[in-house]
Amino acid sequence: MEVKEKIIRKIFVCFQNSLFLQNNRNEMNYLNFRNRFIELGAFSTYQVKAAFPNISPNNLTRWQQEGFIVKLRRGFYAFQESILQPNFSLFLSNFIYKPSYVSLHTALAFYGIIPEAVTQITAVSSLKTAEFRNEAAQFSYKKIKPDLFFGYEQKTFGNRSISIATPEKAILDLLYLYPFYNTESEIENLRFDEDFIQKELNIGKLGLYLDKFNNKKLTKRIEIFTDLYDI
């Protein structure tokens, strides 16, 4: 009987150890995880699974609760320490909704063309109009036709690259997607920087991009704009 009890006890201990290993197999040290992804600043669950196939979703939930990471939208996260970096929210705008590029009010403020402090990150995308709010920022995306998805360039900040409209395309996107800017007073209310418009705006590029829109109403708004600033 003693022998039988010992065998049963050993089987029970082995079973407990097996459960312990199973429950902790997917547990991960946060520092190891951070070292793998911190240079990116933000990451998707697909990237996490590719790097750590056995990781449990509970890790991300726990690290979010502990304040190490921030959920941006379903399947996308950023490190809490990264979201305060300059222009990081512009990078996140590109990252969490693709394809997209920063444009409209945010791009114009970035170049110093309009004076207003932008309360949300505005972008355009060939996907449907969307909006996301999280601890990092409020992100707004306006849909644009695929053949109008052009006129942006890459700006490098540290080890990250941001897709952002050129000044000319940002103006066109704005007047195209917000058609109520259709009078001199409405456009004047945007308070464009007159020195930039007259000295730095590339009128040739503005005209070239305008032709690609092939939109009579937008052409009329641009005529009002150019007459207003005498360019």
Side-chain angles (χ1 to χ4, degrees):
M1 191 70 179
E2 254 182 61
V3 174
K4 189 176 180 180
E5 287 180 357
K6 285 182 180 179
I7 293 174
I8 293 174
R9 192 177 297 115
K10 284 184 179 180
I11 292 173
F12 180 71
V13 170
C14 288
F15 177 71
Q16 282 186 313
N17 289 339
S18 176
L19 283 178
F20 177 82
L21 291 173
Q22 182 66 37
N23 290 335
N24 290 277
R25 181 181 296 168
N26 294 328
E27 291 300 312
M28 175 172 291
N29 182 287
Y30 172 72
L31 291 179
N32 291 337
F33 178 85
R34 179 187 179 281
N35 290 339
R36 174 63 178 79
F37 286 106
I38 190 61
E39 288 299 318
L40 300 178
F43 53 89
S44 70
T45 52
Y46 293 106
Q47 290 173 299
V48 173
K49 280 292 185 182
F52 304 106
N54 294 322
I55 191 172
S56 167
N58 293 333
N59 285 288
L60 297 179
T61 300
R62 187 176 71 253
W63 295 335
Q64 184 184 350
Q65 291 171 346
E66 293 173 348
F68 294 133
I69 62 176
V70 172
K71 187 173 184 179
L72 304 172
R73 57 169 294 204
R74 184 177 180 180
F76 292 86
Y77 296 83
F79 289 98
Q80 181 74 50
E81 60 196 282
S82 298
I83 63 176
L84 298 179
Q85 296 174 2
N87 298 309
F88 189 71
S89 57
L90 304 185
F91 165 75
L92 290 180
S93 175
N94 291 174
F95 181 66
I96 66 174
Y97 205 62
K98 299 177 182 179
S100 68
Y101 61 88
V102 176
S103 187
L104 308 168
H105 301 85
T106 299
L108 293 172
F110 175 84
Y111 293 115
I113 301 174
I114 59 174
E116 285 81 3
V118 178
T119 57
Q120 62 179 351
I121 307 301
T122 56
V124 299
S125 173
S126 56
L127 302 178
K128 66 180 181 179
T129 294
E131 187 171 296
F132 305 101
R133 299 185 184 190
N134 51 58
E135 289 184 45
Q138 179 177 338
F139 300 92
S140 174
Y141 302 85
K142 289 285 189 180
K143 180 179 181 178
I144 201 166
K145 293 187 293 185
D147 58 344
L148 298 180
F149 193 85
F150 67 88
Y152 58 92
E153 56 191 16
Q154 300 297 313
K155 297 286 186 183
T156 302
F157 297 94
N159 64 339
R160 301 186 184 95
S161 182
I162 298 170
S163 296
I164 186 168
T166 64
E168 298 76 19
K169 187 56 161 50
I171 290 172
L172 289 167
D173 284 345
L174 182 70
L175 297 183
Y176 176 71
L177 293 169
Y178 293 87
F180 58 82
Y181 292 125
N182 60 357
T183 66
E184 184 174 302
S185 61
E186 287 289 351
I187 294 175
E188 195 170 20
N189 285 339
L190 287 166
R191 296 194 294 163
F192 286 113
D193 183 90
E194 194 166 341
D195 283 341
F196 186 99
I197 297 300
Q198 294 184 340
K199 298 176 183 178
E200 297 186 50
L201 191 70
N202 188 324
I203 303 303
K205 184 183 288 187
L206 183 73
L208 181 65
Y209 286 173
L210 177 61
D211 288 343
K212 292 184 178 183
F213 277 82
N214 191 29
N215 184 291
K216 291 182 179 179
K217 291 182 179 180
L218 177 60
T219 299
K220 179 62 179 177
R221 292 176 208 130
I222 290 298
E223 289 176 353
I224 295 172
F225 169 76
T226 53
D227 287 346
L228 177 62
Y229 290 99
D230 194 26
I231 54 176

